[in-house]
Amino acid sequence: MNQDLRKTLWAAADKLRSSMDAAEYKHIVLGLIFVKYISDAFDERRDVLKLAFADQRSELHLPEAADHADALEERDYYTMANVFWVPSSARWEAIRAQAKQADIGVRIDAALEAIEADNPRLKGILDKRFGRTQLEPGRLGELVDLVSTIGFGEGHHAKDLLGEIYEYFLGQFATAEGKKGGQFYTPASVVKVLVEVLAPHHGRVYDPCCGSGGMFVQSEKFIAAHGGRTDDISIYGQEANPTTWRLVAMNLAIRGLAADLGKERTRESFQQFFTLIGKELSEKIEFVCSDMWKPYLQLITMPEFQSARAP
């Protein structure tokens, strides 16, 4: 993605922030970017289906043109292609059309609720705080208009584009938050070096303090650069901060990466989570991306982790 475009998008988004705390604002911006992406991916799949229904050579061909409209609203046609189903009220054009309404925040929260209800993988991930945001009047609508200028299309390129924007904005928010930004973000250049040291070509990758998921994203890039496949690794992680947990869950979801991040996001759940995966896994964890929680987890005495590599 063009560096100038990223800077322009950030400058515009930051201007709309005004006096709002960056720690709060990042969830608003990144949440909207995520919804825009899944809506664009839905529309892209919809266009593919339109052509397939009309093409006699396609496995999805429907001979009766009158059936096409109803078929376009069938959820299975989207989930079969690993595309999130987006209810009509939650599609981006519906949100954009209401951007100037005084209650746009409440409407966005309702859209997120609808998306979660139809996509179990997203349950609990989307941060529904738009209705109570402290942005100045009209600013949220302006932010919706800004995000509308980002076009996500063309299959895998869309994921790459969103990934770049998401990662760039995370870095900018971390800078804006100062020392606190380090709680959820480590510079990509640093993470890249750590991943190259680990060299996770295949196996189980675990990060007990995964933040926004930088280690997992760089592991995916490492595998791609070495001609491997994404499913060559299994991702396991934990994050004690519930809002940061949502960031990593969204970060992985938009990249199509399956992960076990644990059902609970509290410090007390770490040992329980380790015990669970220790029972479920017949092999050992090959790569541990952080050893910050060893005092709590007694990793040294757990056979599942004794041979794991750590940076």
Side-chain angles (χ1 to χ4, degrees):
M1 182 182 181
N2 185 281
Q3 179 74 8
D4 290 337
L5 177 57
R6 286 189 298 187
K7 290 181 178 179
T8 299
L9 287 172
W10 168 255
D14 195 46
K15 182 179 180 180
L16 293 175
R17 176 168 70 94
S18 187
S19 59
M20 187 178 187
D21 185 10
E24 172 79 9
Y25 188 60
K26 71 171 179 284
H27 297 288
I28 300 296
V29 175
L30 296 175
L32 283 178
I33 290 175
F34 179 78
V35 173
K36 176 64 162 60
Y37 167 73
I38 64 172
S39 187
D40 279 12
F42 177 89
D43 289 342
E44 182 184 7
R45 174 61 177 171
R46 189 182 181 89
D47 290 340
V48 170
L49 290 174
K50 287 179 181 178
L51 295 176
F53 292 158
D55 186 353
Q56 295 182 358
R57 298 167 298 178
S58 172
E59 294 180 354
L60 300 178
H61 173 62
L62 297 177
E64 297 295 331
D67 296 334
H68 293 191
D70 289 339
L72 287 173
E73 293 299 321
E74 291 187 19
R75 184 177 182 274
D76 289 348
Y77 280 122
Y78 297 85
T79 57
M80 67 186 290
N82 200 29
V83 173
F84 291 113
W85 167 257
V86 184
S88 58
S89 62
R91 293 167 195 170
W92 188 258
E93 285 309 310
I95 293 174
R96 186 180 186 181
Q98 305 172 77
K100 303 307 179 186
Q101 300 297 317
D103 63 345
I104 181 59
V106 174
R107 295 173 187 238
I108 293 174
D109 284 342
L112 298 181
E113 291 277 6
I115 291 172
E116 282 193 343
D118 276 318
N119 298 277
R121 285 174 53 197
L122 297 179
K123 187 67 176 177
I125 291 179
L126 305 182
D127 203 336
K128 296 168 284 295
R129 64 174 70 202
F130 292 87
R132 61 181 189 276
T133 180
Q134 299 301 309
L135 279 173
E136 297 175 7
R139 293 289 193 181
L140 183 55
E142 292 180 51
L143 186 59
V144 170
D145 288 340
L146 173 65
V147 174
S148 296
T149 65
I150 307 173
F152 299 124
E154 303 176 13
H156 292 295
H157 175 68
K159 293 182 180 180
D160 295 338
L161 177 61
L162 176 62
E164 287 187 33
I165 294 175
Y166 200 92
E167 185 173 326
Y168 183 77
F169 273 37
L170 277 172
Q172 295 301 106
F173 278 122
T175 299
E177 292 185 43
K179 291 183 178 179
K180 290 184 178 180
Q183 296 176 2
F184 67 86
Y185 181 81
T186 302
S189 57
V190 175
V191 178
K192 182 178 180 181
V193 172
L194 293 176
V195 170
E196 288 178 349
V197 171
L198 287 174
H201 290 279
H202 57 81
R204 295 172 174 84
V205 177
Y206 171 72
D207 189 345
C209 305
C210 60
S212 55
M215 282 287 187
F216 303 140
V217 172
Q218 288 297 328
S219 293
E220 176 201 24
K221 292 180 179 180
F222 176 89
I223 290 172
H226 290 79
R229 301 177 304 171
T230 301
D231 57 7
D232 286 340
I233 61 171
S234 299
I235 294 174
Y236 296 86
Q238 281 262 257
E239 173 53 52
N241 186 311
T243 55
T244 303
W245 184 90
R246 292 189 181 97
L247 290 180
V248 61
M250 282 196 298
N251 201 4
L252 298 181
I254 60 180
R255 298 169 189 276
L257 296 177
D260 188 341
L261 302 175
K263 294 182 179 180
E264 300 293 333
R265 277 92 71 188
T266 61
R267 193 172 298 182
E268 290 74 17
S269 73
F270 278 69
Q271 183 64 57
Q272 181 180 1
F273 180 69
F274 274 128
T275 301
L276 175 64
I277 64 174
K279 289 179 180 179
E280 290 184 345
L281 300 180
S282 59
E283 299 178 17
K284 298 177 181 179
I285 298 292
E286 288 84 3
F287 307 99
V288 178
C289 299
S290 173
D291 62 358
M292 292 178 63
W293 290 101
K294 279 187 178 180
Y296 296 95
L297 302 172
Q298 300 176 330
L299 293 184
I300 295 177
T301 63
M302 296 184 68
E304 291 82 5
F305 297 90
Q306 285 185 1
S307 64
R309 293 184 60 189

PDB file of all heavy atoms in Angstrom, residues 22-23 26-27 30 169-175 177-186 209-214 239 241 243-244 247:
ATOM      1  N   ALA A  22      -6.523   8.536  22.964  1.00  0.00           N
ATOM      2  CA  ALA A  22      -6.127   7.600  21.900  1.00  0.00           C
ATOM      3  C   ALA A  22      -6.442   6.156  22.277  1.00  0.00           C
ATOM      4  O   ALA A  22      -6.774   5.335  21.415  1.00  0.00           O
ATOM      5  CB  ALA A  22      -4.635   7.754  21.606  1.00  0.00           C
ATOM      6  N   ALA A  23      -6.341   5.827  23.559  1.00  0.00           N
ATOM      7  CA  ALA A  23      -6.601   4.460  24.009  1.00  0.00           C
ATOM      8  C   ALA A  23      -8.042   4.059  23.745  1.00  0.00           C
ATOM      9  O   ALA A  23      -8.343   2.893  23.465  1.00  0.00           O
ATOM     10  CB  ALA A  23      -6.288   4.339  25.504  1.00  0.00           C
ATOM     11  N   LYS A  26      -8.796   4.228  19.432  1.00  0.00           N
ATOM     12  CA  LYS A  26      -8.307   3.170  18.541  1.00  0.00           C
ATOM     13  C   LYS A  26      -9.337   2.080  18.337  1.00  0.00           C
ATOM     14  O   LYS A  26      -9.442   1.500  17.254  1.00  0.00           O
ATOM     15  CB  LYS A  26      -7.002   2.569  19.069  1.00  0.00           C
ATOM     16  CG  LYS A  26      -7.083   1.703  20.304  1.00  0.00           C
ATOM     17  CD  LYS A  26      -5.743   1.028  20.560  1.00  0.00           C
ATOM     18  CE  LYS A  26      -5.776   0.174  21.818  1.00  0.00           C
ATOM     19  NZ  LYS A  26      -5.714   1.000  23.037  1.00  0.00           N
ATOM     20  N   HIS A  27     -10.147   1.797  19.360  1.00  0.00           N
ATOM     21  CA  HIS A  27     -11.158   0.762  19.225  1.00  0.00           C
ATOM     22  C   HIS A  27     -12.284   1.210  18.293  1.00  0.00           C
ATOM     23  O   HIS A  27     -12.890   0.382  17.601  1.00  0.00           O
ATOM     24  CB  HIS A  27     -11.718   0.391  20.602  1.00  0.00           C
ATOM     25  CG  HIS A  27     -10.693  -0.184  21.527  1.00  0.00           C
ATOM     26  ND1 HIS A  27     -10.171  -1.440  21.349  1.00  0.00           N
ATOM     27  CD2 HIS A  27     -10.066   0.334  22.616  1.00  0.00           C
ATOM     28  CE1 HIS A  27      -9.274  -1.685  22.299  1.00  0.00           C
ATOM     29  NE2 HIS A  27      -9.195  -0.620  23.075  1.00  0.00           N
ATOM     30  N   LEU A  30     -10.427   1.161  14.534  1.00  0.00           N
ATOM     31  CA  LEU A  30     -10.124  -0.190  14.075  1.00  0.00           C
ATOM     32  C   LEU A  30     -11.390  -1.035  13.944  1.00  0.00           C
ATOM     33  O   LEU A  30     -11.482  -1.886  13.058  1.00  0.00           O
ATOM     34  CB  LEU A  30      -9.127  -0.848  15.024  1.00  0.00           C
ATOM     35  CG  LEU A  30      -7.746  -0.179  15.071  1.00  0.00           C
ATOM     36  CD1 LEU A  30      -6.869  -0.832  16.138  1.00  0.00           C
ATOM     37  CD2 LEU A  30      -7.053  -0.246  13.715  1.00  0.00           C
ATOM     38  N   PHE A 169      -2.054   1.574  11.686  1.00  0.00           N
ATOM     39  CA  PHE A 169      -2.828   2.320  12.683  1.00  0.00           C
ATOM     40  C   PHE A 169      -2.500   1.856  14.098  1.00  0.00           C
ATOM     41  O   PHE A 169      -2.445   2.665  15.022  1.00  0.00           O
ATOM     42  CB  PHE A 169      -4.325   2.170  12.397  1.00  0.00           C
ATOM     43  CG  PHE A 169      -4.862   3.174  11.417  1.00  0.00           C
ATOM     44  CD1 PHE A 169      -4.100   3.586  10.334  1.00  0.00           C
ATOM     45  CD2 PHE A 169      -6.130   3.710  11.557  1.00  0.00           C
ATOM     46  CE1 PHE A 169      -4.582   4.501   9.411  1.00  0.00           C
ATOM     47  CE2 PHE A 169      -6.629   4.639  10.646  1.00  0.00           C
ATOM     48  CZ  PHE A 169      -5.847   5.036   9.580  1.00  0.00           C
ATOM     49  N   LEU A 170      -2.292   0.554  14.280  1.00  0.00           N
ATOM     50  CA  LEU A 170      -1.896   0.059  15.604  1.00  0.00           C
ATOM     51  C   LEU A 170      -0.604   0.728  16.061  1.00  0.00           C
ATOM     52  O   LEU A 170      -0.477   1.163  17.206  1.00  0.00           O
ATOM     53  CB  LEU A 170      -1.706  -1.465  15.574  1.00  0.00           C
ATOM     54  CG  LEU A 170      -2.946  -2.336  15.724  1.00  0.00           C
ATOM     55  CD1 LEU A 170      -2.592  -3.791  15.476  1.00  0.00           C
ATOM     56  CD2 LEU A 170      -3.563  -2.177  17.113  1.00  0.00           C
ATOM     57  N   GLY A 171       0.362   0.807  15.142  1.00  0.00           N
ATOM     58  CA  GLY A 171       1.634   1.444  15.472  1.00  0.00           C
ATOM     59  C   GLY A 171       1.471   2.908  15.808  1.00  0.00           C
ATOM     60  O   GLY A 171       2.087   3.419  16.759  1.00  0.00           O
ATOM     61  N   GLN A 172       0.622   3.602  15.053  1.00  0.00           N
ATOM     62  CA  GLN A 172       0.399   5.021  15.304  1.00  0.00           C
ATOM     63  C   GLN A 172      -0.319   5.245  16.633  1.00  0.00           C
ATOM     64  O   GLN A 172       0.009   6.175  17.381  1.00  0.00           O
ATOM     65  CB  GLN A 172      -0.423   5.633  14.160  1.00  0.00           C
ATOM     66  CG  GLN A 172       0.296   5.643  12.815  1.00  0.00           C
ATOM     67  CD  GLN A 172       1.602   6.425  12.856  1.00  0.00           C
ATOM     68  OE1 GLN A 172       2.686   5.846  12.856  1.00  0.00           O
ATOM     69  NE2 GLN A 172       1.503   7.733  12.923  1.00  0.00           N
ATOM     70  N   PHE A 173      -1.273   4.391  16.947  1.00  0.00           N
ATOM     71  CA  PHE A 173      -1.968   4.512  18.227  1.00  0.00           C
ATOM     72  C   PHE A 173      -1.023   4.211  19.385  1.00  0.00           C
ATOM     73  O   PHE A 173      -1.090   4.845  20.440  1.00  0.00           O
ATOM     74  CB  PHE A 173      -3.177   3.578  18.273  1.00  0.00           C
ATOM     75  CG  PHE A 173      -4.402   4.123  17.593  1.00  0.00           C
ATOM     76  CD1 PHE A 173      -5.000   3.437  16.559  1.00  0.00           C
ATOM     77  CD2 PHE A 173      -4.942   5.333  17.984  1.00  0.00           C
ATOM     78  CE1 PHE A 173      -6.129   3.944  15.925  1.00  0.00           C
ATOM     79  CE2 PHE A 173      -6.066   5.855  17.360  1.00  0.00           C
ATOM     80  CZ  PHE A 173      -6.664   5.156  16.321  1.00  0.00           C
ATOM     81  N   ALA A 174      -0.144   3.235  19.194  1.00  0.00           N
ATOM     82  CA  ALA A 174       0.830   2.908  20.237  1.00  0.00           C
ATOM     83  C   ALA A 174       1.732   4.110  20.508  1.00  0.00           C
ATOM     84  O   ALA A 174       2.044   4.427  21.663  1.00  0.00           O
ATOM     85  CB  ALA A 174       1.662   1.704  19.816  1.00  0.00           C
ATOM     86  N   THR A 175       2.140   4.791  19.457  1.00  0.00           N
ATOM     87  CA  THR A 175       2.961   5.994  19.608  1.00  0.00           C
ATOM     88  C   THR A 175       2.184   7.079  20.341  1.00  0.00           C
ATOM     89  O   THR A 175       2.718   7.756  21.234  1.00  0.00           O
ATOM     90  CB  THR A 175       3.402   6.519  18.225  1.00  0.00           C
ATOM     91  OG1 THR A 175       4.179   5.511  17.572  1.00  0.00           O
ATOM     92  CG2 THR A 175       4.241   7.782  18.372  1.00  0.00           C
ATOM     93  N   GLU A 177      -0.177   6.720  22.455  1.00  0.00           N
ATOM     94  CA  GLU A 177      -0.413   6.369  23.852  1.00  0.00           C
ATOM     95  C   GLU A 177       0.865   6.358  24.686  1.00  0.00           C
ATOM     96  O   GLU A 177       0.813   6.210  25.900  1.00  0.00           O
ATOM     97  CB  GLU A 177      -1.095   5.001  23.940  1.00  0.00           C
ATOM     98  CG  GLU A 177      -2.512   4.991  23.410  1.00  0.00           C
ATOM     99  CD  GLU A 177      -3.201   3.662  23.629  1.00  0.00           C
ATOM    100  OE1 GLU A 177      -3.058   3.094  24.731  1.00  0.00           O
ATOM    101  OE2 GLU A 177      -3.871   3.185  22.696  1.00  0.00           O
ATOM    102  N   GLY A 178       2.011   6.476  24.031  1.00  0.00           N
ATOM    103  CA  GLY A 178       3.274   6.495  24.764  1.00  0.00           C
ATOM    104  C   GLY A 178       3.615   5.139  25.345  1.00  0.00           C
ATOM    105  O   GLY A 178       3.463   4.108  24.692  1.00  0.00           O
ATOM    106  N   LYS A 179       4.048   5.103  26.583  1.00  0.00           N
ATOM    107  CA  LYS A 179       4.479   3.853  27.211  1.00  0.00           C
ATOM    108  C   LYS A 179       3.371   2.807  27.248  1.00  0.00           C
ATOM    109  O   LYS A 179       3.623   1.608  27.112  1.00  0.00           O
ATOM    110  CB  LYS A 179       4.973   4.119  28.637  1.00  0.00           C
ATOM    111  CG  LYS A 179       6.281   4.894  28.713  1.00  0.00           C
ATOM    112  CD  LYS A 179       6.736   5.059  30.152  1.00  0.00           C
ATOM    113  CE  LYS A 179       8.073   5.800  30.217  1.00  0.00           C
ATOM    114  NZ  LYS A 179       8.531   5.990  31.618  1.00  0.00           N
ATOM    115  N   LYS A 180       2.132   3.257  27.418  1.00  0.00           N
ATOM    116  CA  LYS A 180       1.022   2.303  27.485  1.00  0.00           C
ATOM    117  C   LYS A 180       0.830   1.552  26.173  1.00  0.00           C
ATOM    118  O   LYS A 180       0.280   0.455  26.153  1.00  0.00           O
ATOM    119  CB  LYS A 180      -0.268   3.034  27.863  1.00  0.00           C
ATOM    120  CG  LYS A 180      -0.292   3.543  29.299  1.00  0.00           C
ATOM    121  CD  LYS A 180      -1.640   4.169  29.629  1.00  0.00           C
ATOM    122  CE  LYS A 180      -1.678   4.637  31.080  1.00  0.00           C
ATOM    123  NZ  LYS A 180      -2.993   5.247  31.414  1.00  0.00           N
ATOM    124  N   GLY A 181       1.278   2.157  25.065  1.00  0.00           N
ATOM    125  CA  GLY A 181       1.129   1.501  23.770  1.00  0.00           C
ATOM    126  C   GLY A 181       1.872   0.188  23.692  1.00  0.00           C
ATOM    127  O   GLY A 181       1.502  -0.708  22.928  1.00  0.00           O
ATOM    128  N   GLY A 182       2.934   0.056  24.490  1.00  0.00           N
ATOM    129  CA  GLY A 182       3.702  -1.180  24.499  1.00  0.00           C
ATOM    130  C   GLY A 182       2.946  -2.359  25.063  1.00  0.00           C
ATOM    131  O   GLY A 182       3.362  -3.509  24.909  1.00  0.00           O
ATOM    132  N   GLN A 183       1.812  -2.093  25.706  1.00  0.00           N
ATOM    133  CA  GLN A 183       1.008  -3.180  26.258  1.00  0.00           C
ATOM    134  C   GLN A 183       0.309  -3.983  25.177  1.00  0.00           C
ATOM    135  O   GLN A 183      -0.071  -5.134  25.403  1.00  0.00           O
ATOM    136  CB  GLN A 183      -0.030  -2.610  27.237  1.00  0.00           C
ATOM    137  CG  GLN A 183       0.584  -1.944  28.458  1.00  0.00           C
ATOM    138  CD  GLN A 183      -0.473  -1.315  29.346  1.00  0.00           C
ATOM    139  OE1 GLN A 183      -1.668  -1.407  29.080  1.00  0.00           O
ATOM    140  NE2 GLN A 183      -0.042  -0.670  30.411  1.00  0.00           N
ATOM    141  N   PHE A 184       0.100  -3.379  24.015  1.00  0.00           N
ATOM    142  CA  PHE A 184      -0.616  -4.096  22.964  1.00  0.00           C
ATOM    143  C   PHE A 184       0.136  -4.139  21.640  1.00  0.00           C
ATOM    144  O   PHE A 184      -0.280  -4.825  20.714  1.00  0.00           O
ATOM    145  CB  PHE A 184      -2.001  -3.473  22.730  1.00  0.00           C
ATOM    146  CG  PHE A 184      -1.978  -2.077  22.161  1.00  0.00           C
ATOM    147  CD1 PHE A 184      -1.897  -1.852  20.792  1.00  0.00           C
ATOM    148  CD2 PHE A 184      -2.030  -0.975  23.005  1.00  0.00           C
ATOM    149  CE1 PHE A 184      -1.872  -0.570  20.270  1.00  0.00           C
ATOM    150  CE2 PHE A 184      -2.011   0.314  22.491  1.00  0.00           C
ATOM    151  CZ  PHE A 184      -1.928   0.521  21.122  1.00  0.00           C
ATOM    152  N   TYR A 185       1.269  -3.430  21.546  1.00  0.00           N
ATOM    153  CA  TYR A 185       1.944  -3.364  20.252  1.00  0.00           C
ATOM    154  C   TYR A 185       3.461  -3.359  20.414  1.00  0.00           C
ATOM    155  O   TYR A 185       4.010  -2.615  21.226  1.00  0.00           O
ATOM    156  CB  TYR A 185       1.514  -2.099  19.506  1.00  0.00           C
ATOM    157  CG  TYR A 185       2.146  -1.940  18.132  1.00  0.00           C
ATOM    158  CD1 TYR A 185       1.637  -2.623  17.036  1.00  0.00           C
ATOM    159  CD2 TYR A 185       3.252  -1.124  17.947  1.00  0.00           C
ATOM    160  CE1 TYR A 185       2.207  -2.491  15.775  1.00  0.00           C
ATOM    161  CE2 TYR A 185       3.833  -0.978  16.695  1.00  0.00           C
ATOM    162  CZ  TYR A 185       3.303  -1.660  15.613  1.00  0.00           C
ATOM    163  OH  TYR A 185       3.870  -1.520  14.372  1.00  0.00           O
ATOM    164  N   THR A 186       4.115  -4.219  19.633  1.00  0.00           N
ATOM    165  CA  THR A 186       5.569  -4.232  19.515  1.00  0.00           C
ATOM    166  C   THR A 186       5.884  -3.904  18.064  1.00  0.00           C
ATOM    167  O   THR A 186       5.263  -4.470  17.163  1.00  0.00           O
ATOM    168  CB  THR A 186       6.148  -5.614  19.867  1.00  0.00           C
ATOM    169  OG1 THR A 186       5.759  -5.954  21.200  1.00  0.00           O
ATOM    170  CG2 THR A 186       7.670  -5.602  19.774  1.00  0.00           C
ATOM    171  N   CYS A 209       1.375 -13.668  25.971  1.00  0.00           N
ATOM    172  CA  CYS A 209       1.061 -12.239  26.118  1.00  0.00           C
ATOM    173  C   CYS A 209       0.985 -11.658  24.712  1.00  0.00           C
ATOM    174  O   CYS A 209       1.849 -10.879  24.302  1.00  0.00           O
ATOM    175  CB  CYS A 209       2.125 -11.530  26.937  1.00  0.00           C
ATOM    176  SG  CYS A 209       2.404 -12.265  28.558  1.00  0.00           S
ATOM    177  N   CYS A 210      -0.037 -12.060  23.973  1.00  0.00           N
ATOM    178  CA  CYS A 210      -0.018 -11.852  22.522  1.00  0.00           C
ATOM    179  C   CYS A 210      -0.363 -10.443  22.072  1.00  0.00           C
ATOM    180  O   CYS A 210      -0.221 -10.125  20.885  1.00  0.00           O
ATOM    181  CB  CYS A 210      -0.918 -12.868  21.833  1.00  0.00           C
ATOM    182  SG  CYS A 210      -2.650 -12.811  22.320  1.00  0.00           S
ATOM    183  N   GLY A 211      -0.837  -9.576  22.962  1.00  0.00           N
ATOM    184  CA  GLY A 211      -1.129  -8.207  22.562  1.00  0.00           C
ATOM    185  C   GLY A 211      -2.098  -8.180  21.398  1.00  0.00           C
ATOM    186  O   GLY A 211      -3.142  -8.834  21.420  1.00  0.00           O
ATOM    187  N   SER A 212      -1.742  -7.459  20.339  1.00  0.00           N
ATOM    188  CA  SER A 212      -2.618  -7.368  19.164  1.00  0.00           C
ATOM    189  C   SER A 212      -2.305  -8.437  18.119  1.00  0.00           C
ATOM    190  O   SER A 212      -2.857  -8.414  17.027  1.00  0.00           O
ATOM    191  CB  SER A 212      -2.510  -5.977  18.541  1.00  0.00           C
ATOM    192  OG  SER A 212      -1.168  -5.659  18.240  1.00  0.00           O
ATOM    193  N   GLY A 213      -1.405  -9.380  18.448  1.00  0.00           N
ATOM    194  CA  GLY A 213      -1.171 -10.532  17.574  1.00  0.00           C
ATOM    195  C   GLY A 213      -0.039 -10.390  16.585  1.00  0.00           C
ATOM    196  O   GLY A 213       0.033 -11.126  15.602  1.00  0.00           O
ATOM    197  N   GLY A 214       0.885  -9.464  16.824  1.00  0.00           N
ATOM    198  CA  GLY A 214       1.990  -9.234  15.894  1.00  0.00           C
ATOM    199  C   GLY A 214       2.831 -10.470  15.619  1.00  0.00           C
ATOM    200  O   GLY A 214       3.263 -10.691  14.480  1.00  0.00           O
ATOM    201  N   GLU A 239      -4.314 -13.324  26.260  1.00  0.00           N
ATOM    202  CA  GLU A 239      -4.164 -11.893  26.498  1.00  0.00           C
ATOM    203  C   GLU A 239      -5.082 -11.516  27.656  1.00  0.00           C
ATOM    204  O   GLU A 239      -6.295 -11.725  27.586  1.00  0.00           O
ATOM    205  CB  GLU A 239      -4.512 -11.087  25.246  1.00  0.00           C
ATOM    206  CG  GLU A 239      -4.549  -9.599  25.437  1.00  0.00           C
ATOM    207  CD  GLU A 239      -3.278  -9.047  26.069  1.00  0.00           C
ATOM    208  OE1 GLU A 239      -2.189  -9.351  25.555  1.00  0.00           O
ATOM    209  OE2 GLU A 239      -3.378  -8.307  27.073  1.00  0.00           O
ATOM    210  N   ASN A 241      -5.832  -8.545  28.924  1.00  0.00           N
ATOM    211  CA  ASN A 241      -6.650  -7.341  28.762  1.00  0.00           C
ATOM    212  C   ASN A 241      -7.794  -7.622  27.789  1.00  0.00           C
ATOM    213  O   ASN A 241      -7.547  -7.911  26.616  1.00  0.00           O
ATOM    214  CB  ASN A 241      -5.765  -6.201  28.239  1.00  0.00           C
ATOM    215  CG  ASN A 241      -6.510  -4.881  28.192  1.00  0.00           C
ATOM    216  OD1 ASN A 241      -7.619  -4.801  27.673  1.00  0.00           O
ATOM    217  ND2 ASN A 241      -5.892  -3.843  28.722  1.00  0.00           N
ATOM    218  N   THR A 243      -9.955  -5.753  26.165  1.00  0.00           N
ATOM    219  CA  THR A 243     -10.046  -4.918  24.971  1.00  0.00           C
ATOM    220  C   THR A 243      -8.927  -5.240  23.990  1.00  0.00           C
ATOM    221  O   THR A 243      -9.134  -5.224  22.769  1.00  0.00           O
ATOM    222  CB  THR A 243      -9.997  -3.418  25.333  1.00  0.00           C
ATOM    223  OG1 THR A 243      -8.824  -3.136  26.099  1.00  0.00           O
ATOM    224  CG2 THR A 243     -11.217  -3.030  26.144  1.00  0.00           C
ATOM    225  N   THR A 244      -7.742  -5.558  24.507  1.00  0.00           N
ATOM    226  CA  THR A 244      -6.644  -5.960  23.635  1.00  0.00           C
ATOM    227  C   THR A 244      -6.923  -7.330  23.033  1.00  0.00           C
ATOM    228  O   THR A 244      -6.570  -7.601  21.887  1.00  0.00           O
ATOM    229  CB  THR A 244      -5.311  -5.990  24.415  1.00  0.00           C
ATOM    230  OG1 THR A 244      -5.075  -4.692  24.982  1.00  0.00           O
ATOM    231  CG2 THR A 244      -4.148  -6.334  23.505  1.00  0.00           C
ATOM    232  N   LEU A 247      -8.681  -6.920  19.930  1.00  0.00           N
ATOM    233  CA  LEU A 247      -7.817  -6.463  18.835  1.00  0.00           C
ATOM    234  C   LEU A 247      -7.133  -7.637  18.146  1.00  0.00           C
ATOM    235  O   LEU A 247      -7.091  -7.706  16.911  1.00  0.00           O
ATOM    236  CB  LEU A 247      -6.754  -5.491  19.366  1.00  0.00           C
ATOM    237  CG  LEU A 247      -7.212  -4.109  19.819  1.00  0.00           C
ATOM    238  CD1 LEU A 247      -6.010  -3.296  20.300  1.00  0.00           C
ATOM    239  CD2 LEU A 247      -7.936  -3.368  18.698  1.00  0.00           C
TER     240      LEU A 247
END
